[in-house]
Structures are given as structure tokens and as C-alpha cells.
Amino acid sequence: MKTRFAFGKLGVDVEVPSRFACHVAHARSAAAIADVAAAINDALDRPIGCEPLVKLAEGKRSAAISVCDITRPAPNRITLPPLLERLHAAGIPVEGITILIATGLHRAATADELITILGAGIAGKYRVVSHDARDFAAHRSLGSTRRGTPVYIDERFMAADLHITLGFIEQHLMLGFSGGRKLVAPGLAAQETIKVIHSPRFMREPLATEGSIDENPLHAELLEIAAMARHDFILDVTLTQERGISGVFAGDPVKAHGAGVKFLESTSTSATPALADAVITCAAGYPLDLTFYQTVKGVTAAQHIVKPGGRILVLGECAEGIGSPEFARMLDGYPGHAKFLDEIGEGRVEVDQWQLEKLALVGVKNELFFYTPGVDAAQLGALGSRVFGKLDAAVAAVLDGLPADALVVLVPEGPYAFARVQPLETAVSL
């Protein structure tokens, strides 16, 4: 009666009594590509919507490549070498290439993390720098979007002749799906830009949520910002649960990313039979559940499959604690969901308040529970009363008082499962 959940590096077993109607919503994906090297080579040489990368790089003296930080399992060690080979074949030397870690407002990568992200060979050979959103002077002003967002992008990216991003596509709590334009902003944007695109104006848009691209105003905003930064080329992949590569999408930043999103939607939707009385989910394990900040994504992804007033329990190891100092301060004084939303509605946007805002928007509709042993309940303000130090106690609390026929949906891979209600003939039992 146990289901293995992604949790830290090792995982944990969750047991639910057999009296409940249980359904397991596993992450789905296309099968891993048999010959990944051939697929990447083909994508780079026959890209979607633009010329081959070698042709684009001809005559260029420099290139900047934006890659995900340690909180994302992007397979840069596999995708980056063939991309670099083509830049060199076009005449761009090693010293003309800058690899930027697209941290957004996350901390800089450590030396060990750079090896994990890029591989020792690349990390030791190329100029590799972490973006610092708080260093305003290190960004170039590109003006403002049509909606009035001021755009400041890392000067080291803008100074290059060719602008490339390297990422992967998964559902995202605000943008619909990650990848593509996200590696420019917020990945390489100054906090003055990041705060605006994460303000209540965008966060409270109903379509600024997981799995939403069409008419998502935040997606449209980031596309405009990326175009202003002359986003030239992307290499994005989709992944299996085991982190194998299931799809490769290279080329024009809009067209190639759009093709990747359609592929993910068609291969990855995990059906649940009805809206659940309770959802037990997680933050997808290491590296995504390193902090409580990232654990919020498990909560927001679950909102699409739970009844109004239903319960959500999220599991996250939180080995690095809360997250940024700003996020930790807000959590420490967190007054409750409704009050927090009222307090930030008209005020100045603070760093990382958007993650709590997204949490609160779910919390006003659903009961939230947490098993996050890397943080203490006393650090979480009003959330502390629903934080448990033992997994069994957390599970018992979320199930307490539910009727025997209550539908409990388990999501062992958390936000990596693109779960939506699609009635089934028979629910999958544990």
C-alpha cells in the first residue's frame, strides 16, 4: 500500500489506508530518444524556423549562452558540447564565448555546482559567470515593453554578437511552461525587471498558471522582453521522469519553443478521474526541493486537480532551508493567506513575494499541509500550524475526517506530473 515519492535524493514512501478511493497520477512522458546525439545534431543543423546554428554564427566574433541554474535538471552536459562545436566551426573562439548561469534572483552557483551544471571540461575551459540580478550596474537598459515593464538585461549577454539559450520545457506555475524566453527574463534580468513581471498585476491573472500559454499575459510579456534582447536561438529539450531526453527543439525562440510545448502537452498529460478531496504531492525531489521557495510549486501544480475547499499536502526536503533572505523574512511574519494578499495588493513589490502570493492564492481556496523537515514550523509564520516533522503525522492530518470514499490523488513526481482531470473508466488503485 506504499507509493514512492520523489523527495531529496533518495525519495520517501507514502502509505494511505485502503479505505480511501486512491488514484496515482504519475508523471508521463514520451519515451527517451534512443540516439540522443543524433537528435541534437539534427536539431542544430535543421532547426525550426531559422537557419542552422553554424550559418547563424558565421561572421560573429562572440556568443553568449544562457543556461539553467542548479535548481533545474537541464541536461547541459549533453546538449552544450555539440552546440559549442558548431560555434567554433563557424569561427567563434573559446575566448569569444560566455556561459551565463541564469539565476534570476537565486544565489550564484558554487564551484562544485558549475561542474554539475556544465561538466568539469566546459566549466574549466570557458568563461562561466553567474547572473546577479541585484547588481543594477551590470545590466543594459533596453527601454520598456508595451505594457510598461522596464527591461534591464545582463550586459554580458547583451554585449555578445549571438544570443542563445539552453533549457528544458516543463509546466511552470506562472508562465505555463518553462524554457525559451524564461532563460532571458527572469533568468538574466535585473531585479527591477523581475519585480514588475512578478507583481500582482501578472500573478493574479487567471491564465498566468501551469499549462497555460495561449492568452497568458506573462508569457506574452516575456516574449516581448526576449525579442528586445535579440534572442537569436534556443536549444530546449523535454525530459522523461528518469531525466532522459524525450524531445529536442532547436531554432527560432518562438517557433521551436512552441513546438516543444505542443509535444509535451500531447505526451505528458496525466489524467485523474475527478477533482480530489485531498492531494498528496511533492516538489519533485532534488534539486527542485532544495528550498521551501521551490516547494511552493508542488502546491500550485496540485490546485488543478483538487476540489474547492479540498486539501493539499506537499512534501519537500528543503535541505537548504527557506530560500532567499527576503523570502525567509516574509515567511517568518506570514499573517495568513487572505491578509497577505490584501497587504501586498497595492504596495511595493518585494523580492520573492510572488512565490508567497501564488501560495496564498491557492491557500484561500484549499487547506494546505506541509512535510518539510529542512525548515522549522517557527520559521513559517501562520503556515507553521500545518507543518509536520514526521511524514506519518502529515499524512494522517491531511486525511483526518475525510469520508471513507474520499478521492485521494497521489502525485509522486509533484510538478513534473502535468495532471489534469480527464475521467477514466476505472481509477488506478494503489
Side-chain angles (χ1 to χ4, degrees), residues 18 23 43 50 66 106 125 144 164 190 229 243 366 384:
S18 58
H23 174 81
C50 70
S66 176
H106 301 170
K125 181 177 180 181
S144 298
I164 300 169
R243 307 292 193 262
N366 302 103

Side-chain angles (χ1 to χ4, degrees), residues 137-150:
H139 297 78
R140 182 184 297 185
S141 173
L142 302 181
S144 298
T145 66
R146 290 186 294 272
R147 297 174 182 84
T149 300

